[in-house]
């Protein structure tokens, strides 16, 4: 595949504000290239131009200058959107439709052939783990469920590129972990994922590369390792050492011209702890329920 | 642009828009009010100043269809458009391979489907009310109906269809205003102003013939061209109650339909011109 998933060249976007139509620059000469099958994080504080950039990629806004291509096709063209699935921030869907009807509606809009439509609808509903709630009206869904059904509608036409705007915002850690799991599955299935987020800790483990925007300008970009690793340092995680053993290690290091910079106890993140504890509790509950129903069956 | 795929997307969006519209309480309230007014037509006989009873009921029915239909056409179109914008469902929809024209047409045809249901139900009820009353009158005054029934019932459906065409223009006008406006209220108010202008457009046409100043003449001519003349659609009496006036010919009816379709297409194009550059 020769064309990258997204190629942004000198992208600038100005908005005219007020009666005098004063120009407000939202994106400033942005250059970015996102390769196929990458999970790319677009980071930045509020008003940094993330959403504007995403809207231009989706053809919802016209650039003031520069070009954006999606798999070699200009983002201005509707045809480019055949390759793109999009989940907006805090998505809101037609409340009167059931989850399945909603996904089917978007499948029709995207031109999924009638012969494969039901199969596609079912497979994306299964992928996002909404099979049990697919018959319920969207109006009754929790925030996490809305995000998941939103992901299903974004994936129903089997796009090569999936754009997720704040996919974990307002979702509890369990829901966020489920979304992270789906993103990993998408990568395994050969999709390119572009996601924007404020919740850096949640997306840290998902992204191959990130870019940081500030006031519309690109201030950092690169792989997670190059951006976050402390240059020239390495950490070894070992069993707890006694004072004498630690002194020996330091001596060995000294012999090789190295020094022990710091010792610390490795910690799990609070997110990780929460997700693991709740999942353990859930599986115990399921086990108990199953045992009870088995006993009932025996009687 | 693949026309088949395009019509498929328009149909899908229109169907969803219609589903949304019929679930709104506003549609049911308007429909109930209009039906109540039609069914109660003969109780308002005290306001009849000399016209025949059947003509009075027919006029009353036409009035109800126009009054409630105009309110529904404007408010439903506006509401259906802004609900997509304000709830940001348009963002998700337009991020799909959907042309903005398809989105607008889907919204328009969805609203028109709603208006079709409204016109059909009201025309059928008007037919029923007229039939019951005419049957009672035949029993009481058989001599006056020696040549048979005077009401041409099937023309009532045709009348409903012509009103539907008129509401199509009105919905398209509301869509033009919604395409550049930021608020629901502004769209509704301006659309009602335009409705009044269209209703009184014949005055501009009369003035056009009398103005001597070529510049003024041109301005009035332009205004009369820009705003459709809604009086063209007021043909109920001529179609429906044959004794009142001579019935309308098929060519005239076809002309009215084409007039309505041409104006609707013009306003839809105008809406697209505004909407294609709108920031979602």
């Amino acid at each position: 595949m020769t064309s990258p998933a997204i190629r942004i060249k000198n992208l600038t976007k100005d908005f005219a504000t007020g009666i005098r139509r004063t120009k407000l620059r939202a994106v400033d000469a942005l250059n970015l290239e996102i390769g196929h099958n990458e999970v790319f994080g677009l980071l930045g504080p509020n008003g940094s131009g993330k959403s504007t950039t995403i809207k231009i990629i989706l053809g919802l806004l016209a650039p003031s200058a520069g070009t954006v291509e999606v798999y070699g096709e200009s983002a201005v063209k509707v045809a480019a959107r055949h390759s793109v699935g999009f989940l907006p921030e805090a998505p809101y869907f037609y409340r009167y439709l059931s989850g399945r009807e909603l996904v089917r509606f978007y499948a029709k809009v995207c031109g999924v052939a009638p012969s494969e439509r039901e199969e596609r609808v079912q497979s994306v509903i299964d992928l996002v783990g909404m099979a049990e709630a697919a018959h319920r009206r969207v109006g009754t869904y929790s925030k996490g469920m809305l995000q998941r059904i939103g992901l299903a509608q974004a994936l129903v036409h089997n796009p090569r590129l999936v754009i997720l705007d704040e996919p974990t915002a307002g979702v509890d850690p369990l829901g966020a972990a489920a979304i992270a799991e789906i993103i990993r599955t998408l990568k395994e299935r050969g999709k390119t994922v572009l996601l924007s987020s404020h919740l850096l800790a949640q997306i840290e483990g998902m992204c191959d590369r990130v870019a940081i925007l500030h006031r519309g300008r690109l201030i950092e970009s690169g792989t997670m390792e190059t951006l976050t690793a402390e240059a020239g340092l390495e950490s070894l995680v070992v069993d707890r050492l006694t004072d004498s053993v630690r002194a020996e290690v330091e001596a060995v290091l000294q012999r090789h011209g190295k020094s022990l910079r710091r010792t610390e106890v490795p910690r799990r993140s609070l997110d990780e702890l929460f997700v693991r504890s709740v999942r353990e509790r859930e599986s115990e509950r399921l086990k108990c329920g199953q045992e009870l129903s088995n006993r009932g069956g025996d009687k | 642009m693949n026309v088949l795929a395009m019509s498929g997307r328009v149909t899908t969006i229109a169907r969803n828009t219609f589903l949304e519209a019929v679930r709104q309480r506003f549609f049911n309230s308007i429909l109930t009010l209009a039906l109540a007014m039609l069914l109660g037509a003969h109780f308002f006989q005290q306001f009849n100043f000399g016209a025949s009873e059947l003509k009075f009921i027919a006029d009353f029915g036409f009035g109800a269809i126009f009054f409630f239909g105009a309110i529904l056409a404007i408010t439903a179109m506006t509401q259906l458009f802004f609900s997509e914008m304000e709830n940001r469902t348009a963002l998700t929809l337009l991020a799909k391979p959907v042309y903005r024209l398809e989105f607008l047409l889907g919204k328009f045809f969805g609203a028109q489907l709603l208006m079709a249901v409204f016109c059909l139900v009201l025309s059928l009820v008007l037919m029923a009310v007229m039939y019951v009353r005419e049957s009672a009158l035949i029993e009481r005054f058989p001599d006056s109906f020696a040549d048979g029934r005077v009401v041409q019932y099937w023309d009532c459906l045709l009348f409903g269809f012509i009103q539907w065409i008129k509401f199509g223009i009105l919905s398209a006008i509301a869509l033009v205003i919604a395409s550049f406006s930021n608020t629901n209220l502004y769209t509704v108010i301006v659309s009602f102003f335009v409705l009044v202008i269209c209703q009184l457009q014949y005055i501009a046409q009369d003035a056009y013939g009398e103005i001597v100043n070529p510049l003024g003449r041109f301005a009035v001519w332009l205004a009369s061209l820009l705003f459709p003349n809604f009086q063209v659609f007021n043909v109920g009496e001529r179609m429906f109650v044959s004794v009142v006036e001579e019935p309308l010919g098929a060519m005239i009816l076809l002309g009215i339909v084409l007039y309505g379709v041409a104006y609707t297409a013009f306003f839809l194009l105008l809406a697209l011109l505004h909407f294609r550059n709108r920031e979602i």
Side-chain angles (χ1 to χ4, degrees), chain B residues 27-46:
Chain B
F27 169 66
N28 298 317
S29 313
I30 287 282
L31 190 65
T32 312
L33 275 174
L35 284 174
M37 194 165 160
L38 264 184
L39 290 167
H42 64 274
F43 296 115
F44 293 97
Q45 278 291 339
Q46 53 185 310

Side-chain angles (χ1 to χ4, degrees), chain A residues 53-220:
Chain A
T53 306
I54 286 178
K55 282 184 178 180
I56 294 171
I57 295 169
L58 292 164
L60 297 170
L61 287 178
S64 305
T67 56
V68 178
E69 287 176 9
V70 176
Y71 284 107
E73 188 97 53
S74 167
V76 177
K77 291 183 183 171
V78 170
R81 276 169 252 160
H82 281 290
S83 320
V84 187
F86 173 55
L87 170 69
E89 183 186 356
Y92 185 99
F93 299 112
Y94 307 108
R95 296 171 60 85
Y96 47 86
L97 296 179
S98 70
R100 185 179 302 280
E101 286 168 341
L102 183 86
V103 180
R104 194 181 291 135
F105 167 76
Y106 285 111
K108 281 183 192 170
V109 164
C110 293
V112 177
S115 56
E116 54 178 286
R117 196 178 292 150
E118 284 312 308
E119 198 188 320
R120 290 261 356 128
V121 169
Q122 188 57 50
S123 79
V124 289
I125 284 175
D126 289 341
L127 174 70
V128 299
M130 287 290 288
E132 280 176 27
H135 66 281
R136 270 170 52 191
R137 281 202 190 164
V138 171
T140 65
Y141 283 1
S142 68
K143 242 179 186 171
M145 291 165 101
L146 272 177
Q147 292 285 35
R148 280 192 279 160
I149 207 70
L151 261 170
Q153 66 76 29
L155 299 170
V156 73
H157 59 299
N158 199 18
R160 285 188 282 175
L161 167 66
V162 185
I163 299 178
L164 312 172
D165 195 0
E166 303 283 356
T168 52
V171 179
D172 65 33
L174 218 55
I179 290 168
E181 201 58 50
I182 296 167
I183 292 172
R184 279 185 207 105
T185 311
L186 291 177
K187 183 171 167 68
E188 280 167 22
R189 292 186 183 183
K191 310 283 182 204
T192 307
V193 181
L194 167 64
L195 54 101
S196 83
S197 185
H198 291 111
L199 306 168
L200 307 184
Q202 282 181 350
I203 66 162
E204 199 176 352
M206 297 182 225
C207 296
D208 299 320
R209 282 202 305 144
V210 296
I212 301 173
L213 298 184
H214 179 63
R215 292 180 179 272
R217 281 181 172 271
L218 182 68
I219 54 170
E220 287 279 5

Side-chain angles (χ1 to χ4, degrees), chain B residues 6-158:
Chain B
M6 186 180 170
S7 60
R9 285 192 288 269
V10 170
T11 310
T12 305
I13 298 170
R15 217 182 290 162
N16 189 50
T17 304
F18 175 67
L19 199 64
E20 186 179 355
V22 291
R23 281 166 189 262
Q24 287 177 355
R25 281 187 196 151
F26 184 72
F27 169 66
N28 298 317
S29 313
I30 287 282
L31 190 65
T32 312
L33 275 174
L35 284 174
M37 194 165 160
L38 264 184
L39 290 167
H42 64 274
F43 296 115
F44 293 97
Q45 278 291 339
Q46 53 185 310
F47 300 112
N48 184 3
F49 302 107
S52 78
E53 190 174 343
L54 286 174
K55 186 176 177 300
F56 176 82
I57 295 173
D59 283 345
F60 207 79
F62 301 154
I65 293 175
F66 170 70
F67 181 72
F68 290 108
I71 292 174
L72 188 63
I74 290 173
T75 47
M77 188 72 259
T78 308
Q79 176 63 30
L80 291 168
F81 180 84
F82 278 99
S83 70
E84 289 269 8
M85 294 294 149
E86 285 162 7
N87 295 331
R88 303 193 314 135
T89 42
L91 191 74
T92 319
L93 195 53
L94 290 170
K96 304 279 181 203
V98 171
Y99 289 90
R100 293 201 176 193
L101 174 66
E102 293 168 350
F103 174 78
L104 281 185
L105 288 180
K107 289 279 121 193
F108 173 76
F109 286 123
Q112 272 303 89
L113 214 54
L114 180 83
M115 293 314 296
V117 172
F118 176 84
C119 290
L120 182 70
V121 171
L122 258 68
S123 301
L124 288 173
V125 172
L126 181 60
M127 270 167 80
V129 169
M130 294 282 280
Y131 186 83
V132 169
R133 199 60 205 145
E134 193 180 28
S135 302
L137 289 173
I138 288 172
E139 242 176 61
R140 267 171 62 194
F141 312 105
D143 296 344
S144 304
F145 292 88
D147 298 331
R149 290 180 180 270
V150 292
V151 178
Q152 289 165 15
Y153 287 98
W154 292 114
D155 279 355
C156 187
L157 287 179
L158 202 55

